[in-house]
Amino acid sequence: MPIFQRPDVTLRLFKMPLKLPTIKMPSLDVLKPKPVFNRPVNLRRRAGQVPKWLSITFLASQILVSTAVMGLKAATINFVRENGTRGFMFTLQNSRHTVLAALPKDLYSGTAKLALMAAISSTLFAVCHMVFVLRERKHNSKPQTYIFRRNVMFLNIINTLLILFSMVALFVTHKSSSHFSVRYMSRKGGFGKDGIYNRGTFDLETWSCELQSIPGAKVAWDDYASQCRIEVAGRMMMVPFLLLGIGVTCISVAQMMGCQRDGKEQSKPGLEDFEMSKFNAV
């Protein structure tokens, strides 16, 4: 009997395992549409960086504007101090000459000192605050505490109120200032002892801006014109100065409201035990 007809060999051949090659399809993740609105975005770092950049921008602008106001008001105080005992030859309508003091008898000088005080305090405080913000951003240190931000907020509010009072004082005194009268000078001499103009109360801006174009004070036109530009710039600069102060105050209030208190600052001693005892009540 041939071998290929043996039944045991036939069964053995049919029982052999048959391995077929497996074909794996490539991954189609590239073709899957990516989500547009549901992508995971780390907003923690961005939320921390935006207030810092806003603070740096507003503080830098406040430093620049307050430094300009400080220089302008220092020039005002220096002009009043240097010209308090000086005068010049004033020409009257009948071609007579008389000595006229460089400044009137009554002059508003407290407003310039108040604005100078506001500018100095604002500059010092803005520089110190910016140092803290830049140091925190450079070293990636722990965010500022609640107590620090609360104190910064109150200091900003006080500084903004000081700027507001000084700006209101400057505008009110300029509005209520007297005006120089050439007729008064010609009719009554217009001056008392030492040739000081003794009619009304002036602010330095009105006095210098009016005398820069009066024919009788032609010898002092250049000095008064220069001081007039300084006074106008100093008064107008108070508007952006106040706006920047309000902006810095709003940022400090927002940072204080968004700051989480530490565990030690959340409750007073003994208050936590009192609150927890309420859960044990039957």
Side-chain angles (χ1 to χ4, degrees), residues 19-255:
K19 294 182 179 181
L20 298 176
T22 58
I23 300 175
K24 294 182 178 181
M25 297 295 294
S27 179
L28 298 177
D29 294 337
V30 182
L31 301 178
K32 289 182 178 179
K34 295 182 179 180
V36 177
F37 299 101
N38 297 326
R39 293 183 183 180
V41 180
N42 187 9
L43 297 177
R44 183 174 301 175
R45 184 176 180 181
R46 295 183 181 179
Q49 293 295 330
V50 171
K52 291 181 182 179
W53 281 111
L54 282 176
S55 299
I56 292 172
T57 303
F58 274 86
L59 289 173
S61 302
Q62 188 177 22
I63 291 172
L64 294 176
V65 175
S66 61
T67 304
V69 173
M70 185 168 52
L72 293 171
K73 294 308 170 184
T76 299
I77 296 174
N78 187 35
F79 183 85
V80 173
R81 184 178 301 173
E82 289 183 353
N83 296 281
T85 57
R86 295 183 180 180
F88 61 94
M89 296 302 298
F90 187 85
T91 304
L92 299 175
Q93 293 179 353
N94 52 5
S95 299
R96 291 188 299 110
H97 297 278
T98 182
V99 178
L100 179 65
L103 297 176
K105 180 181 179 180
D106 297 322
L107 184 70
Y108 295 113
S109 59
T111 54
K113 296 178 181 179
L114 182 61
L116 180 62
M117 185 187 305
I120 293 175
S121 63
S122 178
T123 303
L124 294 177
F125 178 69
V127 169
C128 295
H129 192 189
M130 179 176 282
V131 168
F132 281 103
V133 175
L134 290 175
R135 184 180 178 184
E136 178 185 350
R137 182 179 176 274
K138 180 179 180 181
H139 299 284
N140 292 324
S141 59
K142 184 179 178 181
Q144 298 166 357
T145 60
Y146 176 81
I147 296 178
F148 177 81
R149 296 190 178 187
R150 183 190 61 188
N151 296 336
V152 167
M153 182 193 68
F154 283 119
L155 289 175
N156 275 319
I157 292 174
I158 295 173
N159 185 43
T160 304
L161 291 177
L162 183 59
I163 297 172
L164 176 62
F165 291 155
S166 60
M167 188 191 74
V168 171
L170 284 173
F171 278 86
V172 169
T173 54
H174 177 69
K175 186 69 176 179
S176 60
S177 174
S178 302
H179 297 280
F180 187 84
S181 175
V182 179
R183 178 181 294 182
Y184 181 76
M185 286 287 299
S186 302
R187 182 163 48 91
K188 293 186 178 181
F191 51 88
K193 188 180 287 188
D194 299 328
I196 300 176
Y197 190 88
N198 55 7
R199 183 184 181 183
T201 305
F202 292 81
D203 68 323
L204 187 56
E205 179 181 349
T206 303
W207 176 262
S208 59
C209 291
E210 289 184 352
L211 285 176
Q212 71 172 349
S213 58
I214 293 178
K218 190 173 182 179
V219 294
W221 276 2
D222 295 336
D223 295 333
Y224 283 124
S226 176
Q227 191 61 33
C228 176
R229 290 191 293 268
I230 292 175
E231 294 302 319
V232 173
R235 186 167 59 89
M236 292 294 103
M237 194 65 70
M238 295 300 295
V239 177
F241 190 23
L242 178 62
L243 294 178
L244 287 173
I246 294 175
V248 173
T249 302
C250 292
I251 292 175
S252 63
V253 171
Q255 290 179 348

